[in-house]
Amino acid sequence: QVQLVESGGGLVQPGGSLRLSCAASGSFFSINTMGWYRQAPGKQRELVADVTRSGSTNYADSVKGRFTISRDNAKNTLYLQMHSLKPEDTAVYYCNAKGYYYGLFTSWGQGTQVTVSS
């Protein structure tokens, strides 16, 4: 079982920056793709960005050029650096990990709130 713990959310003014972190712990042979998803009130959860173990990244069009996803495989930690934040970025951000441990698994963190408001 893999546990994911997010941190770094909070309240920020439009145009500001935040950095989210997600630490993975527990039992696993490998974690392949890790990603950030978000869910705003009344909306479906959507992919923000993800990164493979080898470092290939994928971003939602709405965050390209503003957000950067990265991971430290040695620390099993995922990051999301967010710049030029907009009110529409307000959401609960969830960490996701897909890997293998006696079978494929998908794990989710509890989420961290990001609020962009003046």
Side-chain angles (χ1 to χ4, degrees), residues 8 11-19 66 81-85:
L11 173 64
V12 63
Q13 292 186 342
S17 298
L18 279 176
R19 188 192 194 209
R66 300 188 298 122
Q81 180 67 55
M82 304 184 291
H83 294 298
S84 303
L85 283 160

Side-chain angles (χ1 to χ4, degrees), residues 3 26 41 52 87 96 108 115:
Q3 292 80 44
T52 65
N96 173 274
W108 291 93
T115 302

Side-chain angles (χ1 to χ4, degrees), residues 1-111:
Q1 190 76 0
V2 174
Q3 292 80 44
L4 302 174
V5 178
E6 302 103 333
S7 61
L11 173 64
V12 63
Q13 292 186 342
S17 298
L18 279 176
R19 188 192 194 209
L20 305 183
S21 298
C22 170
S25 62
S27 301
F28 51 87
F29 293 138
S30 66
I31 296 179
N32 300 324
T33 301
M34 297 187 77
W36 291 98
Y37 291 72
R38 67 186 181 188
Q39 187 166 19
K43 294 188 176 182
Q44 290 190 332
R45 190 173 297 188
E46 63 176 1
L47 174 69
V48 176
D50 60 22
V51 56
T52 65
R53 186 171 182 82
S54 62
S56 295
T57 59
N58 175 49
Y59 294 92
D61 288 342
S62 59
V63 306
K64 283 181 181 177
R66 300 188 298 122
F67 292 7
T68 301
I69 191 170
S70 61
R71 63 190 283 178
D72 184 331
N73 291 328
K75 297 181 179 179
N76 294 313
T77 302
L78 179 71
Y79 304 98
L80 185 69
Q81 180 67 55
M82 304 184 291
H83 294 298
S84 303
L85 283 160
K86 305 175 181 180
E88 51 263 43
D89 294 318
T90 296
V92 178
Y93 284 68
Y94 297 91
C95 178
N96 173 274
K98 299 179 178 67
Y100 181 79
Y101 186 65
Y102 296 112
L104 297 174
F105 68 80
T106 298
S107 293
W108 291 93
Q110 294 294 320

